[in-house]
Amino acid sequence: MKKITSLLLLFLCSAIAVAQTFTTPDTGVNWTLADVANASPSTITVNGDEYTLLENLVIAASDKLTIDTDATVLINEDLLITVFGEFDVTADQTMFLAADTAAPYEGFRFEEFSIINIQNATIKYGGGLRVLTEDFIINNSIISENVEDGATTGAVISLSRGTPQITNNQITLNELPAIGSAANSATSPTISGNTIEGNNTTNANRPQINLGTTDPTIPLQITNNTIIGNPANTQVGGIAIANLVGGTINAIISENLIKDNRYGITVLGGNATVEISENIIEDNNTQGNPNLGGSGINLNSSTNDMVVTATFNQIRGNIWGITLQGEASINLGDNADVVGGNVFSENGNNDEVYALYNNTPNTINALHNCWIEGVEATLAEAESVIFHQQDDANLGEVLFDPVSCNVAGTDDFFLDNLSFYPNPATKSIHFNSEIAIENITILNANGAQVLEKDLQDNQTQLNFNLPTGLYFVVFKTNETQGMKKLIIK
C-alpha cells in the first residue's frame, strides 16, 4: 500500500509540474518575451530570436506583453497563453508554433476587458483563440492547421462579445470552422479582406463562418472575403448566422466570393435585418443532396419578421439559387428602394433549374433581376426557374415582372476608360471619362437610389452629403452605362 501511495504521489507531483504557470505580477509593467525569460527561466528559454514556452503564461490585468521585434515562439504541448491585460504583437513577423507539431499546444485565451492587437502573426498547431474580450484585433495574420479540443471548441477564432476586427488574414485548413460565436453571444465583428479556405477539416456539420446573434444597433459585417470550401468535406457550409435564442440579427454580407461549400449563405431565425449585396456565390453543391442543402442563399424563420434585401449578387451553379422556408422573406427588387440586379445561372437539381424557391406563404418582390444569365429572358422563361404560387397554390407569389439583365450591366470599354477619385470619399468625387457622362446616380448597399444628377457639359465633379458606408455610382452616357463602387467615410 505504501508503494502504491508513493507511486500515486509521484504521479500527482509530475502532473502538477507539467501544469506550472507563470503569472506576471500585476504591477502595470510592459513585459517582453525576454523579460519573462529573465524573470522566470523555467517559463521561457531563449535562443536568438527563438523563444520556447515551457509553462503556461498568464498576463495579469494591469500588465502588458509586447512583441515588436521578429520572433518565433515555440510552445510545448497543452500549454495555454491567457491574457487579462494587454497583448500587443506588432513585429513584421511573429510565429506561434507548437514545439512539436505532433503535440499541439492549448492555444490562447483572451479574457473579458483584455486588449488584444495581433498584427503579422502566424498561429499554427495550437488549439485556437478563445476571444472573451470586447477589444480584439487580428490583422494580416496566418491562422492555419490548428486543432479542436483546445482553448476553443466552436471555431479556431471563437468570439463572445463586442465588435472584434478580423481583417486581411489567411484562415485555412483548421480542424474547426474559421470564425464562430455562441448562439447568445450578441457580437458584431467586422470580418473583412480574409482568405478563408478549407476549414472544418473534421467535416462536421458546421460552416466556415458560424455566428449567433448580433448587437441590435451595430451590424455584423462580412465583406470582401474569399470563402472557399474543400469539396471533399461535404458537410461544411459557407456562412451561417442564426438567431435561436430570441435575440437580433443585424448584418451586412457584401462583396464576398463564396464557392465550393455545402451551401453559400444561410440566415436562420427571425428578428433579422440583413443586407446581402454584390456577392459571387458559386458551386455550393458539395454534398449533392437537394433535400439537405446546396442553396446559394437560404432563409428560414418561424416568424414573419425578416427584413432581408439582396442586390447585385451573382448566384451560379448551386443546387438551389435562393430558398425560402417557414415564414422567411426577402426583397430582391421593387420599384421603390431595392433595385434588384441579381444574376442567376444554372442553379438546379434533378434536371430542373431553381433560381428562386419560395416555400413560404409570403409574397416576394423580385423585380429587375436576370433570371437566366446571358439572355434577356421572357416572362415565361423567368417563370420556368421560379417556384411559387403558380406551381403550388399553398405558396406565396413571386412578383418578378419586369425581368432585366441590364440593371447591373456595365460596358467594359467605358469602365476601362473611366476613373474617379478620391475613393474613399467624404463630400465629393472628381471623375474623368473619354465619353461624355450625362447622368450620375448613386445607390446605397441595398440598391436604393440616394442621389441622381444630370450633368452639365464638361462637369467633372459631383458633390454629395451622404452617411458613411458602401455605395454604387452609376455613370450614364447617351448610349451606355457603367457602375463602380464608392466608399464614403
Side-chain angles (χ1 to χ4, degrees), residues 133-137 161-166 187-190 215 218-219:
T133 181
E134 302 83 349
D135 195 343
F136 175 80
I137 296 172
R161 52 179 56 84
T163 56
Q165 306 292 303
I166 304 170
T187 183
S188 289
T190 294
D215 186 288
I218 302 173

Side-chain angles (χ1 to χ4, degrees), residues 185-215:
S185 64
T187 183
S188 289
T190 294
I191 303 169
S192 181
N194 303 285
T195 296
I196 298 171
E197 184 170 357
N199 297 286
N200 190 1
T201 60
T202 58
N203 199 26
N205 184 16
R206 290 179 288 187
Q208 297 199 70
I209 297 178
N210 189 23
L211 299 171
T213 56
T214 71
D215 186 288

